[in-house]
Amino acid sequence: MLKKLKPNFGAQTEHILFFDSYRPLDLIGNSEKIMELKRKIEKIAKSHLPVLILGESGSGKSHVARLIHELSVRNMRCFFDENISALADSIVESELFGSVEGAFTDSRNRCGCFEIADGGTLFLDEIGEASLQIQKKLLKVIETGEFRKVGSSQIQKTDVRLIFATNADLYGKIQSGEFREDLFYRMANLVIRIPSLRERKDDIPELCQEYLLRKNYLKSFSESALEELCGFDWPGNVRQLHSTIERAVFNSDDSGLILPEHIEIY
């Protein structure tokens, strides 16, 4: 049984591990950027206000959203995540708000994200891809805590902590008319910007070690291999680093030491 550790974001000497009953949640690194992020997460977790997480693809936006939930008073309730960009336009509304039988072809009575996550946290990723119609409905939920299922006239109440994330330029989208300015200011009560991996290269050795341990790979990186990894800019961020580690482990065969010649970066 994993012991639940008391969070201590002020610690400067080692990375912090957060445990739930299923798996460890961690935020690896001790660079100035990542320590600042840890402190901000702890502070934001105490609030119930909507949060907007900004960061490049692969930087860990969904991971930070889950950390906020786990450190909040809502951590015994549901954490539900939905990627807006992964939903077809025809089903976004019913996925978010639910539907009643007969509302549209093949529709049935079903719960949406806001009903499922009631009392907990709802994480809406890639919010910059939401249509203007969905943005309008989201604005109403934020302002009133009320919504209607598709095809229903009944108003339902919801109590969710909303966390939004995007790697899109929302300011540019506002200027082009693709994103509502009023929704942006409702979402951005609290804002977290996740640093890119190239902004915290000092964390790369620890990120590599942690990944090898988590995957139970009985290997380590040579000093020269780590130097090569630290010299790259990582446009794909931590996600790209992890895939590079997997290739390096594969290329190293039975050797316990990963060398520069085992590294392939794509």
Side-chain angles (χ1 to χ4, degrees):
M1 179 67 68
L2 294 174
K3 182 180 179 181
K4 188 161 186 177
L5 301 181
K6 182 180 180 181
N8 176 16
F9 278 140
Q12 298 285 335
T13 57
E14 58 183 279
H15 68 259
I16 314 300
L17 295 179
F18 303 94
F19 291 90
D20 60 20
S21 22
Y22 300 102
R23 65 181 181 83
L25 290 177
D26 47 26
L27 198 56
I28 304 302
N30 290 293
S31 64
E32 183 179 345
K33 293 276 188 182
I34 210 70
M35 294 306 297
E36 181 182 348
L37 177 61
K38 290 174 181 180
R39 288 189 289 270
K40 194 163 189 177
I41 288 171
E42 181 186 32
K43 187 174 182 179
I44 282 177
K46 297 174 183 177
S47 169
H48 294 277
L49 292 171
V51 182
L52 176 60
I53 302 175
L54 304 175
E56 296 178 2
S57 178
S59 59
K61 295 186 291 296
S62 61
H63 192 71
V64 167
R66 186 174 282 276
L67 274 173
I68 292 170
H69 171 74
E70 290 295 330
L71 292 170
S72 76
V73 296
R74 296 173 181 263
N75 61 8
M76 300 303 291
R77 304 297 294 270
C78 175
F79 174 86
F80 196 93
D81 62 275
E82 190 69 83
N83 188 319
I84 299 295
S85 66
L87 299 175
D89 291 343
S90 58
I91 65 168
V92 174
E93 187 174 353
S94 60
E95 286 291 324
L96 291 177
F97 306 113
S99 61
V100 297
E101 188 173 354
F104 51 86
T105 305
D106 297 327
S107 69
R108 51 182 169 57
N109 291 319
R110 57 166 299 174
C111 297
C113 300
F114 279 93
E115 190 170 358
I116 295 170
D118 190 33
T121 302
L122 176 57
F123 172 51
L124 297 179
D125 200 1
E126 303 297 348
I127 189 61
E129 303 303 313
S131 68
L132 288 171
Q133 178 184 0
I134 292 299
Q135 291 175 40
K136 181 179 180 180
K137 292 180 181 295
L138 286 173
L139 178 64
K140 182 178 181 181
V141 178
I142 296 174
E143 291 180 335
T144 67
E146 298 176 347
F147 68 95
R148 289 189 181 95
K149 290 186 175 183
V150 177
S152 174
S153 59
Q154 181 179 353
I155 296 175
Q156 293 187 224
K157 286 280 190 180
T158 183
D159 171 28
V160 295
R161 172 72 179 283
L162 280 165
I163 303 179
F164 303 92
T166 185
N167 60 7
D169 176 12
L170 291 183
Y171 293 107
K173 283 181 171 285
I174 290 170
Q175 293 300 315
S176 64
E178 299 175 82
F179 203 86
R180 295 179 63 109
E181 188 173 14
D182 49 2
L183 176 59
F184 172 78
Y185 288 119
R186 286 292 189 182
M187 288 169 19
N189 288 105
L190 302 172
V191 179
I192 289 181
R193 193 189 78 81
I194 302 178
S196 64
L197 187 53
R198 64 182 170 275
E199 295 177 271
R200 57 182 191 104
K201 289 185 178 182
D202 289 349
D203 292 330
I204 289 176
E206 190 174 358
L207 286 164
C208 291
Q209 179 186 24
E210 184 274 341
Y211 188 80
L212 293 173
L213 288 171
R214 178 155 52 90
K215 301 287 282 190
N216 292 317
Y217 292 139
L218 303 179
K219 294 176 181 286
S220 61
F221 282 88
S222 69
E223 186 175 341
S224 55
L226 287 174
E227 287 177 357
E228 182 164 333
L229 293 174
C230 290
F232 190 68
D233 272 347
W234 302 105
N237 292 291
V238 176
R239 187 183 296 143
Q240 184 184 15
L241 176 64
H242 286 169
S243 66
T244 300
I245 295 172
E246 288 287 354
R247 281 191 298 275
V249 169
F250 178 80
N251 292 338
S252 63
D253 297 319
D254 295 330
S255 172
L257 191 63
I258 299 173
L259 302 172
E261 55 262 36
H262 298 143
I263 295 173
E264 298 176 358
I265 302 177
Y266 298 106

Coordinates of all heavy atoms in Angstrom, one line a residue, residues 188-223:
A188 N -9.8 32.5 -17.4 CA -8.5 32.9 -17.0 C -8.5 33.6 -15.6 O -7.7 34.6 -15.4 CB -7.8 33.8 -18.0
N189 N -9.4 33.2 -14.7 CA -9.3 33.8 -13.3 C -7.9 33.5 -12.7 O -7.3 34.3 -12.1 CB -10.4 33.2 -12.4 CG -11.8 33.7 -12.8 OD1 -12.6 32.9 -13.4 ND2 -12.1 34.9 -12.4
L190 N -7.5 32.2 -12.9 CA -6.2 31.8 -12.5 C -5.5 31.2 -13.7 O -6.1 30.4 -14.4 CB -6.3 30.8 -11.4 CG -7.0 31.3 -10.1 CD1 -7.2 30.1 -9.2 CD2 -6.3 32.4 -9.4
V191 N -4.2 31.5 -13.9 CA -3.5 31.1 -15.1 C -2.2 30.4 -14.7 O -1.5 31.0 -13.9 CB -3.2 32.2 -16.1 CG1 -2.4 31.7 -17.3 CG2 -4.5 32.9 -16.5
I192 N -1.9 29.3 -15.3 CA -0.6 28.6 -15.1 C 0.0 28.4 -16.5 O -0.6 27.9 -17.4 CB -0.8 27.2 -14.5 CG1 -1.2 27.3 -13.0 CG2 0.5 26.4 -14.6 CD1 -1.4 26.0 -12.3
R193 N 1.3 28.9 -16.6 CA 2.0 28.6 -17.8 C 3.1 27.6 -17.5 O 3.9 27.8 -16.6 CB 2.7 29.9 -18.4 CG 3.2 29.7 -19.8 CD 4.0 30.8 -20.3 NE 5.4 30.8 -19.7 CZ 6.4 30.0 -20.2 NH1 6.2 29.2 -21.2 NH2 7.6 30.1 -19.6
I194 N 3.0 26.4 -18.2 CA 4.0 25.4 -18.0 C 5.2 25.6 -18.8 O 5.1 25.8 -20.0 CB 3.4 24.0 -18.4 CG1 2.1 23.7 -17.6 CG2 4.4 22.9 -18.1 CD1 1.4 22.4 -17.9
P195 N 6.4 25.7 -18.2 CA 7.6 25.9 -18.9 C 7.9 24.8 -19.9 O 7.6 23.6 -19.6 CB 8.7 26.0 -17.9 CG 8.2 25.3 -16.7 CD 6.7 25.5 -16.7
S196 N 8.4 25.1 -21.1 CA 8.9 24.1 -22.0 C 10.1 23.4 -21.5 O 10.8 23.9 -20.6 CB 9.2 24.7 -23.4 OG 10.3 25.6 -23.2
L197 N 10.4 22.2 -22.0 CA 11.6 21.5 -21.5 C 12.9 22.2 -21.8 O 13.8 22.1 -21.0 CB 11.6 20.1 -22.2 CG 12.6 19.1 -21.7 CD1 12.6 19.0 -20.2 CD2 12.5 17.8 -22.4
R198 N 12.9 23.0 -22.9 CA 14.1 23.7 -23.2 C 14.4 24.9 -22.3 O 15.5 25.4 -22.2 CB 14.1 24.3 -24.7 CG 13.0 25.3 -24.9 CD 13.0 25.7 -26.4 NE 11.8 26.5 -26.7 CZ 10.6 26.0 -27.0 NH1 10.4 24.7 -27.1 NH2 9.6 26.8 -27.2
E199 N 13.3 25.2 -21.5 CA 13.5 26.3 -20.5 C 14.0 25.7 -19.2 O 14.3 26.5 -18.2 CB 12.2 27.0 -20.3 CG 11.7 27.8 -21.4 CD 10.3 28.4 -21.2 OE1 9.3 27.8 -21.4 OE2 10.3 29.6 -20.7
R200 N 14.0 24.4 -19.0 CA 14.4 23.8 -17.8 C 15.3 22.5 -18.1 O 15.0 21.4 -17.5 CB 13.2 23.4 -16.9 CG 12.2 22.5 -17.6 CD 11.0 22.3 -16.6 NE 10.1 21.3 -17.0 CZ 10.0 20.0 -16.5 NH1 10.8 19.7 -15.5 NH2 9.1 19.2 -16.9
K201 N 16.3 22.7 -18.9 CA 17.1 21.6 -19.3 C 17.9 20.9 -18.1 O 18.3 19.8 -18.2 CB 18.1 22.0 -20.3 CG 17.5 22.3 -21.7 CD 18.6 22.6 -22.7 CE 18.0 22.8 -24.1 NZ 19.0 23.1 -25.1
D202 N 18.0 21.7 -17.0 CA 18.7 21.1 -15.8 C 17.9 20.0 -15.3 O 18.5 19.2 -14.5 CB 18.8 22.2 -14.7 CG 19.9 23.3 -15.1 OD1 20.6 23.1 -16.0 OD2 19.9 24.3 -14.4
D203 N 16.6 19.9 -15.6 CA 15.8 18.8 -15.1 C 15.9 17.5 -15.9 O 15.4 16.4 -15.5 CB 14.3 19.2 -15.0 CG 14.0 20.3 -14.0 OD1 14.8 20.3 -13.0 OD2 13.1 21.1 -14.2
I204 N 16.5 17.6 -17.1 CA 16.6 16.4 -18.0 C 17.2 15.2 -17.4 O 16.6 14.1 -17.5 CB 17.2 16.8 -19.3 CG1 16.3 17.7 -20.1 CG2 17.6 15.5 -20.1 CD1 16.9 18.2 -21.4
P205 N 18.4 15.2 -16.7 CA 18.9 14.0 -16.1 C 17.9 13.4 -15.1 O 17.8 12.1 -15.1 CB 20.2 14.5 -15.3 CG 20.6 15.7 -16.2 CD 19.3 16.4 -16.6
E206 N 17.3 14.2 -14.3 CA 16.3 13.6 -13.3 C 15.1 13.0 -14.0 O 14.6 12.0 -13.6 CB 15.9 14.7 -12.3 CG 15.1 14.1 -11.1 CD 14.8 15.2 -10.0 OE1 15.3 16.3 -10.2 OE2 14.2 14.8 -9.1
L207 N 14.6 13.7 -15.0 CA 13.5 13.2 -15.8 C 13.8 11.8 -16.4 O 13.0 10.9 -16.5 CB 13.1 14.2 -16.9 CG 12.4 15.4 -16.4 CD1 12.4 16.5 -17.5 CD2 10.9 15.1 -16.1
C208 N 15.0 11.7 -16.9 CA 15.5 10.4 -17.5 C 15.5 9.3 -16.5 O 15.1 8.2 -16.7 CB 16.9 10.6 -18.2 SG 16.9 11.6 -19.7
Q209 N 16.2 9.6 -15.3 CA 16.3 8.6 -14.3 C 14.9 8.2 -13.8 O 14.6 7.0 -13.6 CB 17.1 9.2 -13.1 CG 17.2 8.3 -11.9 CD 17.9 8.9 -10.7 OE1 17.9 10.1 -10.6 NE2 18.5 8.1 -9.9
E210 N 14.0 9.2 -13.6 CA 12.7 8.9 -13.1 C 11.9 8.0 -14.1 O 11.2 7.0 -13.7 CB 11.9 10.2 -12.8 CG 10.5 10.0 -12.2 CD 9.4 9.7 -13.3 OE1 9.6 10.0 -14.5 OE2 8.4 9.2 -12.9
Y211 N 12.0 8.3 -15.4 CA 11.3 7.5 -16.4 C 11.9 6.0 -16.4 O 11.1 5.1 -16.5 CB 11.5 8.1 -17.7 CG 10.6 7.5 -18.8 CD1 9.3 7.8 -18.9 CD2 11.1 6.5 -19.7 CE1 8.5 7.2 -19.9 CE2 10.3 5.9 -20.6 CZ 9.0 6.3 -20.7 OH 8.2 5.6 -21.7
L212 N 13.2 5.9 -16.3 CA 13.7 4.5 -16.3 C 13.2 3.7 -15.1 O 12.9 2.5 -15.2 CB 15.3 4.6 -16.3 CG 15.9 5.1 -17.6 CD1 17.4 5.3 -17.4 CD2 15.7 4.2 -18.8
L213 N 13.2 4.4 -13.9 CA 12.7 3.7 -12.7 C 11.2 3.4 -12.8 O 10.8 2.3 -12.4 CB 12.9 4.6 -11.5 CG 14.4 4.8 -11.0 CD1 14.5 5.9 -10.0 CD2 14.9 3.5 -10.5
R214 N 10.4 4.3 -13.3 CA 9.0 4.1 -13.4 C 8.7 2.9 -14.4 O 7.7 2.2 -14.1 CB 8.3 5.4 -13.9 CG 6.8 5.3 -14.1 CD 6.1 6.6 -13.9 NE 6.7 7.6 -14.8 CZ 6.3 7.9 -16.0 NH1 5.3 7.2 -16.5 NH2 6.9 8.9 -16.7
K215 N 9.5 2.8 -15.4 CA 9.2 1.7 -16.4 C 10.0 0.4 -16.0 O 9.9 -0.6 -16.8 CB 9.7 2.2 -17.8 CG 8.9 3.4 -18.3 CD 7.5 3.1 -18.7 CE 7.4 2.5 -20.0 NZ 6.1 2.4 -20.5
N216 N 10.7 0.4 -14.9 CA 11.4 -0.7 -14.4 C 12.5 -1.2 -15.4 O 12.8 -2.4 -15.6 CB 10.5 -1.9 -14.1 CG 9.6 -1.7 -12.9 OD1 10.1 -1.1 -11.9 ND2 8.3 -2.0 -13.1
Y217 N 13.1 -0.2 -16.1 CA 14.2 -0.5 -17.0 C 15.5 -0.4 -16.2 O 15.9 0.6 -15.5 CB 14.3 0.6 -18.1 CG 13.2 0.5 -19.1 CD1 12.6 1.7 -19.6 CD2 12.7 -0.7 -19.6 CE1 11.6 1.7 -20.5 CE2 11.7 -0.7 -20.5 CZ 11.1 0.5 -21.0 OH 10.1 0.5 -21.9
L218 N 16.2 -1.6 -16.1 CA 17.5 -1.6 -15.3 C 18.6 -1.1 -16.1 O 19.6 -1.8 -16.4 CB 17.7 -3.1 -14.9 CG 16.6 -3.8 -14.1 CD1 16.9 -5.2 -13.8 CD2 16.3 -3.0 -12.8
K219 N 18.6 0.2 -16.4 CA 19.6 0.8 -17.2 C 19.8 2.2 -16.7 O 19.1 2.8 -15.8 CB 19.1 0.9 -18.7 CG 19.0 -0.4 -19.4 CD 18.4 -0.2 -20.8 CE 18.3 -1.5 -21.5 NZ 19.5 -2.1 -21.9
S220 N 20.9 2.8 -17.1 CA 21.2 4.2 -16.8 C 21.9 4.9 -18.0 O 22.4 4.2 -18.9 CB 22.1 4.3 -15.6 OG 23.4 3.6 -15.8
F221 N 21.8 6.2 -18.0 CA 22.5 7.0 -19.1 C 23.9 7.3 -18.7 O 24.2 7.7 -17.5 CB 21.7 8.3 -19.3 CG 20.4 8.1 -20.1 CD1 19.2 7.8 -19.5 CD2 20.4 8.2 -21.5 CE1 18.1 7.6 -20.2 CE2 19.3 8.0 -22.2 CZ 18.1 7.7 -21.6
S222 N 24.8 7.2 -19.7 CA 26.2 7.7 -19.4 C 26.2 9.2 -19.4 O 25.2 9.9 -19.8 CB 27.1 7.2 -20.5 OG 26.8 7.9 -21.8
E223 N 27.2 9.8 -18.8 CA 27.3 11.2 -18.7 C 27.3 11.9 -20.1 O 26.7 12.9 -20.3 CB 28.6 11.6 -18.0 CG 28.7 13.1 -17.7 CD 29.9 13.4 -16.8 OE1 30.4 12.5 -16.2 OE2 30.3 14.6 -16.9

